[in-house]
Amino acid sequence: MKNICLLGSTGYIGINSLKVIKANTVRYRIVALGAGKNIELLLNQIKEFRPRFAAVINADLADELKSKLNNMRNTEILYGTEGYVEIATLSDVSTTIAAMTGSSGLLPTFSAIAAGKDVALANKEALVIAGSLLTNESRKRNTNIFPIDSEHSAIQQSIQGHRREDLKRIILTGSGGPFKDLSIERLSAVTPEEALKHPNWRMGRKISIDSATLMNKGMEAIEAKWLFDVEMDQIEILLHPQSIIHSMVEYMDGSIIAQLASPDMRIPISYALSYPRHLKGEPASLDLLEIGTLSFEKPDRKRFRCLDLALTAGKIGESMPAVLNGANEIAVNAFLEGKIGFLEIPQIIEKTMERHDTVPINSIDQAIETDRWAKSWAKELLEKMVGK
Ligand code: MG
């Protein structure tokens, strides 16, 4: 029996994690749930999974939740970052699913690793901000970071049974998002609603925008660098509009191993929890005859500047990816709120990166401070942009 803390339980990955857990209650038990503001859904999840702990974003929501739970006093309610850290590090938790969005998940994720937990990681921003800290801590504590990201799950499956020194490169695939074929002129006028409609995957709001800008793919390259200990130059990005091959690994002799599956997040979630086993799940078998064709294209780093900026930040390394991430969070939010256009997202990120003098990130406090710095600069740039 694996005791699980699920951070981000009301988001898209959280909801699907609970589906995987519910389908295998012999193996998995929910000990704690962490959510943000969606009290109604959390309430239903508490009633169904009966966790010992739950955490929400602030004290007011914690009080509201407590009053709604009045006759179910078996679940203790905590709140804020401290609350998330507490549930992620509970002594009887063996695996923490880190599925919060953005930099808010960094400290709880790091704390879980430092407390010796295995982490099933969907919160890729945590690795982008502080990849060296997280992976070093994981090595030190002898814990595992299992990716809940279809590409990295594919890579992890493709390196099983192979020798590390034989690996030549990683081929990271991506659909190209909803705007793959749009001209610069069209891109300048796309709306948040259009950006939220991904052709193959259903996802949360932040990652949907990151997928549309291809920032998500660039961040995934940084994520792969840390998870699989490769250089940025060893990672090639290939667009694959069908989203059937989820990534590939090439070996020294020219062999390429790929993983194929339906675009269904329950598959990588299940593998992250059951590694190295492939347990029976609910997703349907892949019908390759129906799919018929698999095609590949080169990504356009000029039209999709966020991809270029992310790959550049990944190569510069140290604190630059954290700055990229912080500025991106501000810019994506502004786009979602209708304050800026789609093509202004990379402008804010690039200008913030230009302002930054890179330093090594040696502590979690420093990572958090860098994130704050990037966000405040990006906000300032945003105000100038919106005000003009
Ligand atoms: Mg992905």
Side-chain angles (χ1 to χ4, degrees):
M1 179 66 81
K2 209 171 249 189
N3 284 336
I4 293 171
C5 165
L6 170 55
L7 297 172
S9 71
T10 58
Y12 185 69
I13 295 294
I15 291 167
N16 280 283
S17 297
L18 290 175
K19 283 183 193 164
V20 169
I21 288 163
K22 201 173 152 181
N24 206 337
T25 50
V26 179
R27 289 178 155 261
Y28 309 129
R29 179 197 295 133
I30 285 288
V31 175
L33 293 172
K37 296 176 189 163
N38 192 344
I39 297 292
E40 292 308 317
L41 180 53
L42 179 61
L43 191 63
N44 290 336
Q45 292 175 344
I46 291 173
K47 284 177 183 163
E48 184 172 355
F49 292 91
R50 310 234 160 201
R52 283 198 297 113
F53 292 87
V56 292
I57 201 160
N58 60 40
D60 289 347
L61 286 175
D63 287 342
E64 194 183 327
L65 185 60
K66 275 180 206 164
S67 73
K68 286 184 171 162
L69 277 169
N70 62 55
N71 56 358
M72 290 186 55
R73 288 295 182 184
N74 293 330
T75 302
E76 190 177 330
I77 309 298
L78 306 169
Y79 62 87
T81 302
E82 270 173 43
Y84 299 136
V85 168
E86 189 170 337
I87 63 172
T89 57
L90 289 167
S91 61
D92 58 343
V93 162
S94 60
T95 300
T96 291
I97 300 178
M100 290 164 72
T101 303
S103 59
S104 58
L106 175 62
L107 190 59
T109 303
F110 179 78
S111 305
I113 296 170
K117 313 301 179 193
D118 282 341
V119 166
L121 185 81
N123 185 197
K124 70 189 73 173
E125 293 92 341
L127 268 186
V128 171
I129 298 169
S132 69
L133 284 181
L134 265 58
T135 50
N136 282 339
E137 191 68 21
S138 169
R139 239 171 264 133
K140 202 161 85 187
R141 305 283 171 194
N142 206 14
T143 70
N144 297 293
I145 302 175
F146 297 117
I148 298 186
D149 202 343
S150 58
E151 295 77 4
H152 306 77
S153 182
I155 296 163
Q156 192 167 46
Q157 294 176 53
S158 301
I159 60 175
Q160 293 311 309
H162 298 269
R163 294 185 69 135
R164 187 62 190 69
E165 63 266 34
D166 296 346
L167 188 155
K168 187 174 174 190
R169 62 179 181 139
I170 284 171
I171 303 167
L172 195 66
T173 55
S175 69
F179 304 146
K180 180 172 72 69
D181 299 316
L182 295 192
S183 65
I184 285 275
E185 292 70 38
R186 279 282 290 115
L187 283 176
S188 68
V190 295
T191 64
E193 291 66 38
E194 290 174 288
L196 291 170
K197 277 187 212 136
H198 194 277
N200 304 339
W201 294 97
R202 290 191 48 240
M203 303 178 287
R205 284 164 68 83
K206 157 86 172 33
I207 189 175
S208 292
I209 304 304
D210 286 343
S211 296
T213 62
L214 299 196
M215 174 57 84
N216 183 56
K217 209 46 61 185
M219 285 191 173
E220 286 182 349
I222 299 172
E223 189 185 1
K225 166 191 146 97
W226 290 117
L227 286 173
F228 305 109
D229 196 18
V230 293
E231 300 297 325
M232 290 298 286
D233 291 337
Q234 286 177 281
I235 303 167
E236 188 194 335
I237 293 173
L238 205 55
L239 298 186
H240 165 48
Q242 295 83 15
S243 296
I244 297 300
I245 294 179
H246 296 297
S247 276
M248 306 178 241
V249 175
E250 184 182 343
Y251 291 93
M252 291 298 180
D253 62 356
S255 285
I256 293 178
I257 309 287
Q259 184 255 359
L260 289 73
S262 308
D264 185 326
M265 280 313 291
R266 289 175 298 179
I267 298 171
I269 291 168
S270 177
Y271 190 67
L273 295 178
S274 67
Y275 172 92
R277 295 199 56 196
H278 295 268
L279 298 179
K280 187 178 183 306
E282 290 170 332
S285 279
L286 185 59
D287 187 344
L288 284 168
L289 275 179
E290 195 185 317
I291 293 152
T293 308
L294 300 178
S295 64
F296 305 95
E297 298 166 32
K298 201 175 144 85
D300 183 348
R301 287 170 66 161
K302 289 206 178 75
R303 267 186 311 137
F304 293 95
R305 301 237 26 249
C306 286
L307 173 61
D308 193 62
L309 291 168
L311 296 176
T312 302
K315 277 206 83 160
I316 295 169
E318 299 192 319
S319 54
M320 197 56 96
V323 169
L324 168 97
N325 179 73
N328 182 56
E329 285 188 27
I330 297 299
V332 167
N333 227 348
F335 174 71
L336 281 169
E337 288 171 356
K339 289 182 185 161
I340 58 168
F342 190 73
L343 295 179
E344 286 170 307
I345 297 173
Q347 286 176 23
I348 289 179
I349 300 165
E350 182 171 30
K351 285 187 179 142
T352 309
M353 283 170 65
E354 279 169 4
R355 291 273 182 182
H356 183 63
D357 295 319
T358 307
V359 289
I361 288 194
N362 296 320
S363 70
I364 199 71
D365 290 339
Q366 201 189 353
I368 292 167
E369 182 46 42
T370 306
D371 176 63
R372 267 197 211 121
W373 179 91
K375 283 177 177 165
S376 75
W377 258 115
K379 271 183 197 157
E380 213 162 290
L381 289 165
L382 174 68
E383 274 162 29
K384 272 187 208 154
M385 232 178 217
V386 174
K388 78 183 172 206

